[in-house]
Amino acid sequence: MTPTTSDLHPTLRPMYETVLRRNPGESEFHQAAHEVFESLSPVVAKRPEYVQASIIERICEPERQIIFRVPWVDDAGKVQINRGFRVEFNSALGPYKGGLRFHPSVLLGTVKFLGFEQIFKNALTGLPIGGGKGGSDFDPKGRSDGEVMRFCQSFMTELYRHLGEYTDVPAGDIGVGGREIGYLFGQYKRITNRYEAGVLTGKGLSWGGSQVRTEATGYGLVYFVDEMLRAQQTSFEGKKVVISGSGNVAIYAAEKVAQLAGTVVAMSDSGGYVVDENGMDLEVMKDLKEIRRGRISEYAEGREARYLEGGTIWDVPCDIALPCATQNELDETHAATLVKNGVRIVAEGANMPTTQAGTRALREAGVQFAPGKAANAGGVATSALEMQQNASRDSWSFETTDARLRDIMQGIYGSCMMTAEEYGMPGDVIAGANIAGFTQVADAMLSQGVI
Ligand code: GLU
């Protein structure tokens, strides 16, 4: 649902209306923009130079948008056609950086919302990376390795001309993991005749990848929540945690929760969810999802766990909820159930998994809320660490990289809290994240002139 202009600062209203007019039908992008605009009222009042230089209007307009045909041949010999996208949104702080999503639901508006979020998320890491995102409506589910490879090769055959370690550096997202990054990198290398390791992140450990990149988004999310808990003189110990999803973010968030003595009682996939009061067995989950690429229903077979088909995982009582599946998976009805069941913290591992009404309901009930652009920034931050290692032809240990990740997440939490305080909204992580990310990019844009 597209949010309205009425609750925005009068200076911001016409800017948001322009976003609506220029991007018709792209409700997820409207929502992502509205969420940032809602936080910008105190910025508009305090920093008139941004308004003078039309910084907000410029940030809402991608620097470049690429749409292309991706033809490939399936195992039956039939030619398939998909659509490829890359939205190069903002390069004020560094090369465009952000993942590729392969999922049948991907449209230009999806990529735009993800790219827009990425600008501010990447700024919050404090590392030199701009914002971009890409993907395709290709559905890897049920496709053979050969089909996935041929698709990736065709996708890169068009996209390579727009990439480069100083230009645009993609990585994974939903539907794009180590296997896909391998095929994409192989094709880039073949076409360009360059071993340009820093052009993609999420690479294999033996060929330029970074330790901790696989775990980083999930681990980082839990480090962020750990900071929130610490501020309240408490910890994960003995806390019940519900994590939606069972992909890369969810699995490693669960692993870190368990290491910090919390109990992950439920996880899900698009078919349903499992409840395991003893705590999810993550070795079984990893084998099921990372190796066998199976359904979560199989987890419950032969063990003391319940599988519920359909329904909603947010019915499961918990202290901490970590939505790690996809956008708009937690709405106001789910929020009401979570509140009724006593949830204390909701932190977003996915990008924009909570609807605006859902977020409002949680905040009104006094639940602490951490938005994805702050809480899930550990993934892209570790991608930037991978780029650093590639640039210096170095490779760091797991411990060194993990310590850097933890530092970065603590830094993001600190800068959200400090910025929220500075702009008169103490304790508001959403306002802190939006304003801290925005001002960082806006200041760089001011310095770089009208471009
Ligand atoms: N797709 C991830 C995100 O949403 C990671 C992007 C990256 O590593 O470039 O932040």
Side-chain angles (χ1 to χ4, degrees):
M1 207 184 67
T2 288
T4 55
T5 48
S6 53
D7 40 355
L8 295 177
H9 185 286
T11 306
L12 295 165
R13 269 182 220 159
M15 300 178 192
Y16 180 65
E17 270 154 15
T18 303
V19 170
L20 297 182
R21 183 175 53 74
R22 280 220 173 106
N23 306 278
E26 297 179 347
S27 58
E28 291 162 337
F29 178 45
H30 303 161
Q31 182 184 342
H34 196 271
E35 281 188 24
V36 172
F37 277 50
E38 272 190 322
S39 297
L40 292 183
S41 305
V43 181
V44 167
K46 212 170 165 164
R47 306 291 299 272
E49 67 273 27
Y50 293 158
V51 178
Q52 174 64 28
S54 299
I55 294 289
I56 301 170
E57 294 93 318
R58 271 197 269 165
I59 283 189
C60 290
E61 188 60 25
E63 289 176 18
R64 191 174 297 108
Q65 305 183 59
I66 303 146
I67 306 182
F68 51 100
R69 179 169 72 197
V70 189
W72 56 283
V73 182
D74 70 16
D75 285 348
K78 179 159 186 347
V79 175
Q80 299 280 346
I81 303 296
N82 286 100
R83 184 175 280 185
F85 303 95
R86 186 75 182 163
V87 174
E88 299 181 331
F89 228 120
N90 194 295
S91 61
L93 297 179
Y96 309 107
K97 182 81 196 87
L100 298 171
R101 176 175 293 190
F102 292 169
H103 192 273
S105 65
V106 169
L107 297 166
L108 178 61
T110 322
V111 180
K112 238 187 252 176
F113 115 67
L114 290 162
F116 187 73
E117 291 272 297
Q118 201 82 42
I119 304 171
F120 308 106
K121 182 197 308 200
N122 293 4
L124 281 171
T125 66
L127 297 164
I129 40 179
K133 202 87 185 190
S136 174
D137 57 3
F138 172 72
D139 187 0
K141 217 181 267 170
R143 290 294 178 188
S144 69
D145 281 354
E147 289 179 316
V148 170
M149 180 181 78
R150 290 194 293 281
F151 172 80
C152 287
Q153 290 179 338
S154 181
F155 185 88
M156 186 53 92
T157 300
E158 179 57 34
L159 190 63
Y160 87 95
R161 69 193 80 243
H162 302 287
L163 307 183
E165 62 178 325
Y166 295 109
T167 310
D168 186 352
V169 182
D173 195 84
I174 294 171
V176 178
R179 173 181 62 170
E180 290 73 18
I181 294 295
Y183 296 148
L184 291 164
F185 183 76
Q187 186 72 352
Y188 183 86
K189 179 165 71 71
R190 186 183 194 193
I191 296 173
T192 59
N193 193 29
R194 282 161 62 87
Y195 203 110
E196 192 184 328
V199 74
L200 284 166
T201 60
K203 298 180 293 297
L205 290 178
S206 58
W207 47 279
S210 173
Q211 294 285 352
V212 195
R213 179 62 192 89
T214 305
E215 297 83 355
T217 312
Y219 277 23
L221 170 69
V222 174
Y223 291 150
F224 193 92
V225 175
D226 200 35
E227 289 306 301
M228 296 169 82
L229 289 164
R230 252 205 268 204
Q232 299 162 30
Q233 280 86 43
T234 178
S235 72
F236 268 102
E237 210 177 320
K239 301 275 190 308
K240 273 193 183 185
V241 183
V242 166
I243 301 180
S244 64
S246 46
N248 169 266
V249 182
I251 285 179
Y252 292 97
E255 182 168 281
K256 186 52 73 179
V257 168
Q259 286 172 12
L260 298 181
T263 309
V264 179
V265 292
M267 292 178 79
S268 63
D269 68 10
S270 56
Y273 62 99
V274 282
V275 182
D276 190 341
E277 295 292 347
N278 302 319
M280 303 291 305
D281 184 331
L282 291 169
E283 289 319 306
V284 173
M285 196 57 121
K286 278 187 198 172
D287 177 59
L288 179 62
K289 286 292 175 181
E290 291 181 341
I291 297 164
R292 289 193 285 133
R293 297 178 192 269
R295 305 304 301 163
I296 210 168
S297 52
E298 297 167 44
Y299 177 93
E301 287 164 16
R303 59 177 48 241
E304 243 182 79
R306 281 179 293 135
Y307 172 67
L308 291 104
E309 196 162 309
T312 168
I313 193 170
W314 308 122
D315 285 344
V316 181
C318 61
D319 305 298
I320 298 169
L322 304 177
C324 295
T326 195
Q327 65 268 23
N328 292 328
E329 53 160 313
L330 198 169
D331 64 18
E332 69 269 37
T333 316
H334 306 133
T337 312
L338 283 167
V339 168
K340 180 170 69 69
N341 289 335
V343 76
R344 298 307 316 146
I345 292 180
V346 175
E348 298 184 323
N351 292 311
M352 210 170 72
T354 319
T355 64
Q356 284 198 291
T359 310
R360 209 169 304 123
L362 292 167
R363 278 153 57 102
E364 279 167 14
V367 175
Q368 288 227 39
F369 186 87
K373 56 173 82 69
N376 75 31
V380 76
T382 309
S383 277
L385 301 182
E386 183 171 330
M387 291 162 74
Q388 278 185 32
Q389 293 168 75
N390 296 150
S392 57
R393 301 186 184 281
D394 197 0
S395 148
W396 309 341
S397 70
F398 190 95
E399 291 69 29
T400 305
T401 319
D402 189 38
R404 288 283 307 266
L405 169 63
R406 188 160 198 143
D407 264 8
I408 291 166
M409 297 316 294
Q410 287 173 342
I412 295 174
Y413 177 76
S415 86
C416 289
M417 295 318 269
M418 223 171 69
T419 308
E421 178 96 40
E422 188 187 329
Y423 282 84
M425 282 165 294
D428 185 337
V429 191
I430 299 184
N434 283 332
I435 298 173
F438 174 83
T439 52
Q440 180 98 357
V441 179
D443 288 338
M445 288 174 72
L446 272 182
S447 309
Q448 291 170 13
V450 180
I451 53 169

